[in-house]
């Protein structure tokens, strides 16, 4: 659900009056089913959309519907419409609230300014679902009800009981002290403490959540940006991480770095080739990542990784050897 599309839907209903779902779907270039879901979202956000049945039926707004917010200029309204195109609010269960807020902002503008802001927003695409190579961008799906329960515990400062499914383990209940919520590249995380230990939980792996009455054991003030950076550093450098020295064609540096956890250092040799000291999550991650870049990168160390990649290459060469 994109807030900019909901705004466009309301503006269409304001301009045209009663309109069928099929006509709205054609105008917005989505399916009729998507329009019906958007209508439900608008109703949940307090927008008075009603249905008229029959041969000449459709959807319409209550007469004289308007919002009360005033005082914004074009760029301010456009900024909120663009913000409504991002998925952070959806991950935290605030999608409908954001859509309602964006609608109030845009709808409060004078008609000419409103049309300009909405038209400009249609020229901006924020975080599409696929990149230029048609690779689908990974994103989490979190139900609004679950996100709302987690969010309430975070804001109220109460302990939170979650039914969490860690990777490779069966789900189990855990009671945590929530600190804050973070969204990174369409993935949501709950930062918390469990006893004296820091914990980071991916929201999409929380299967159920229950706010408790007991106060959370946490500081009244928090620098969430600093906490996230500290946990990021510990994740990248701790545990079973694997350090690799690799030579790579400069043109393919960014592709290689994108698969690593961190780059500790880099230098350029006399031939213009880069030598990177990179860190991967574990041995399996390192082998997988370097195999993806085998045509453009050469592992210099450790030796066990060179041997492992050699075995893979030998098997592939034998399987696809030149025909007689």
């Amino acid at each position: 659900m994109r807030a900019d599309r909901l705004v466009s839907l309301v503006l269409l209903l304001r301009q045209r009056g009663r309109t069928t779902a099929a006509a709205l779907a054609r105008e917005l270039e989505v399916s009729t089913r998507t329009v019906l879901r958007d209508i439900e979202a608008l109703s949940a956000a307090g927008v008075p959309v009603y249905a008229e049945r029959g041969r000449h039926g459709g959807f319409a707004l209550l007469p004289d519907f308007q919002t009360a917010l005033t005082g914004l200029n074009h760029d301010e309204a456009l900024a909120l419409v663009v913000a409504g195109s991002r998925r952070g609010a959806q991950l935290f269960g605030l999608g409908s609230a954001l859509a309602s807020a964006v609608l109030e902002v845009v709808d409060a503008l004078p008609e000419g300014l409103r049309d300009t802001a909405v038209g400009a927003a249609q020229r901006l695409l924020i975080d599409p679902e696929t990149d230029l190579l048609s690779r689908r961008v990974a994103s989490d799906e979190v139900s609004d009800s679950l996100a709302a329960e987690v969010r309430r515990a975070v804001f109220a400062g109460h302990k939170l009981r979650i039914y969490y499914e860690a990777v490779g383990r069966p789900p189990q209940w855990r009671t945590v002290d929530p600190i804050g919520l973070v969204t990174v590249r369409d993935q949501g995380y709950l930062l918390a403490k469990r006893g004296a230990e820091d914990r980071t939980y991916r929201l999409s792996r929380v299967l159920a959540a229950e706010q408790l009455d007991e106060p959370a054991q946490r500081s009244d003030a928090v620098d969430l940006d600093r906490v996230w950076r500290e946990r990021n550093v510990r994740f990248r450098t701790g545990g079973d991480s694997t350090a690799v020295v690799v030579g790579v064609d400069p043109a393919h540096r960014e592709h290689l770095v994108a698969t690593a956890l961190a780059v500790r250092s880099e230098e350029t040799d006399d031939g213009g080739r880069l030598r990177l000291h990179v860190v991967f999550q574990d041995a399996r991650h390192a082998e997988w990542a370097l195999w993806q870049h085998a045509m453009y990168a050469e592992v210099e160390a450790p030796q066990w990784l060179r041997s492992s990649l050699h075995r893979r290459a030998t098997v592939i060469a034998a399987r696809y050897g030149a025909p007689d």
Side-chain angles (χ1 to χ4, degrees), residues 129-173:
E129 293 184 353
T130 59
D131 62 15
L132 286 175
L133 298 179
S134 297
R135 295 174 300 192
R136 190 173 183 85
V137 178
S139 59
D140 287 346
E141 295 295 333
V142 181
S143 72
D144 286 353
S145 58
L146 189 148
E149 188 71 6
V150 173
R151 189 176 70 245
R152 282 192 289 266
V154 170
F155 294 161
H158 290 175
K159 286 185 178 292
L160 180 66
R161 190 165 175 256
I162 58 174
Y163 192 48
Y164 190 74
E165 184 177 28
V167 177
R169 300 179 185 177
Q172 59 178 311
W173 285 99

Side-chain angles (χ1 to χ4, degrees), residues 242-250 256 265-278 280 286 290-291 293-294 296-310:
T242 298
V244 177
V245 180
V246 57
V248 62
D249 183 333
L256 173 62
S265 65
E266 64 179 274
E267 56 193 29
T268 304
D269 63 22
D270 294 338
R273 189 176 176 86
L274 292 177
R275 179 178 290 107
L276 304 180
H277 294 247
V278 294
F280 295 95
L290 271 303
W291 179 253
H293 305 285
Y296 312 102
E298 179 185 356
V299 173
E300 298 180 9
Q303 181 58 45
W304 65 262
L305 182 54
R306 288 180 59 90
S307 299
S308 178
L309 293 173
H310 179 268

Side-chain angles (χ1 to χ4, degrees), residues 10-324:
V10 172
L11 293 179
L12 283 172
L13 292 173
R14 283 173 58 95
Q15 295 167 1
R16 301 184 182 181
R18 184 174 62 249
T19 311
T20 66
L24 291 170
R26 286 193 300 271
E27 186 72 28
L28 297 172
E29 298 182 348
V30 297
S31 67
T32 302
R33 192 172 184 178
T34 295
V35 167
L36 295 177
R37 284 201 302 266
D38 287 350
I39 292 290
E40 291 181 3
L42 289 172
S43 297
V47 178
V49 182
Y50 69 96
E52 291 187 358
R53 303 190 181 280
R55 181 178 178 183
H56 300 291
F59 293 98
L61 294 169
L62 288 178
D64 301 323
F65 166 69
Q66 64 180 15
T67 58
L69 192 62
T70 60
L72 292 178
N73 61 32
H74 165 262
D75 285 347
E76 291 169 337
L78 177 59
L80 280 177
V81 174
V82 170
S85 299
R86 304 188 69 91
R87 282 184 40 85
Q90 277 77 12
L91 286 174
F92 296 153
L94 295 170
S96 295
L98 177 60
S100 177
V102 172
L103 171 62
E104 290 189 18
V105 169
V106 176
D107 192 48
L109 296 173
E111 184 173 353
L113 195 57
R114 180 199 314 138
D115 293 342
T116 301
V118 174
Q122 293 173 348
R123 302 291 179 177
L124 303 173
L125 177 60
I126 312 298
D127 294 335
E129 293 184 353
T130 59
D131 62 15
L132 286 175
L133 298 179
S134 297
R135 295 174 300 192
R136 190 173 183 85
V137 178
S139 59
D140 287 346
E141 295 295 333
V142 181
S143 72
D144 286 353
S145 58
L146 189 148
E149 188 71 6
V150 173
R151 189 176 70 245
R152 282 192 289 266
V154 170
F155 294 161
H158 290 175
K159 286 185 178 292
L160 180 66
R161 190 165 175 256
I162 58 174
Y163 192 48
Y164 190 74
E165 184 177 28
V167 177
R169 300 179 185 177
Q172 59 178 311
W173 285 99
R174 309 162 189 221
T175 299
V176 302
D177 297 307
I179 296 174
L181 294 166
V182 177
T183 176
V184 181
R185 296 179 181 175
D186 288 348
Q187 296 174 351
Y189 298 90
L190 167 67
L191 305 189
K193 281 187 172 292
R194 191 177 179 200
E197 298 181 350
D198 293 336
R199 289 287 185 264
T200 302
Y201 300 100
R202 190 156 166 179
L203 287 178
S204 60
R205 295 179 185 147
V206 178
L207 306 181
E210 177 187 3
Q211 179 186 187
L212 304 180
D213 293 332
E214 183 180 354
Q217 300 300 309
R218 69 182 194 183
S219 172
D220 291 337
V222 62
D223 184 344
L224 206 57
D225 185 56
R226 177 183 58 79
V227 172
W228 177 255
R229 289 199 307 269
E230 290 174 350
R231 296 195 181 190
N232 201 353
V233 170
R234 288 200 297 270
F235 175 77
R236 290 172 180 267
T237 60
D240 299 324
S241 61
T242 298
V244 177
V245 180
V246 57
V248 62
D249 183 333
H252 294 273
R253 177 194 181 279
E254 296 305 319
H255 298 291
L256 173 62
V257 169
T259 62
L261 289 181
V263 179
R264 290 181 174 172
S265 65
E266 64 179 274
E267 56 193 29
T268 304
D269 63 22
D270 294 338
R273 189 176 176 86
L274 292 177
R275 179 178 290 107
L276 304 180
H277 294 247
V278 294
V279 178
F280 295 95
Q281 186 170 342
D282 51 29
R284 183 179 179 183
H285 178 206
E287 183 176 353
W288 170 85
L290 271 303
W291 179 253
Q292 310 307 309
H293 305 285
M295 294 290 292
Y296 312 102
E298 179 185 356
V299 173
E300 298 180 9
Q303 181 58 45
W304 65 262
L305 182 54
R306 288 180 59 90
S307 299
S308 178
L309 293 173
H310 179 268
R311 286 193 296 272
R312 282 191 176 215
T314 300
V315 172
I316 294 296
R319 180 172 298 168
Y320 296 104
D324 295 337

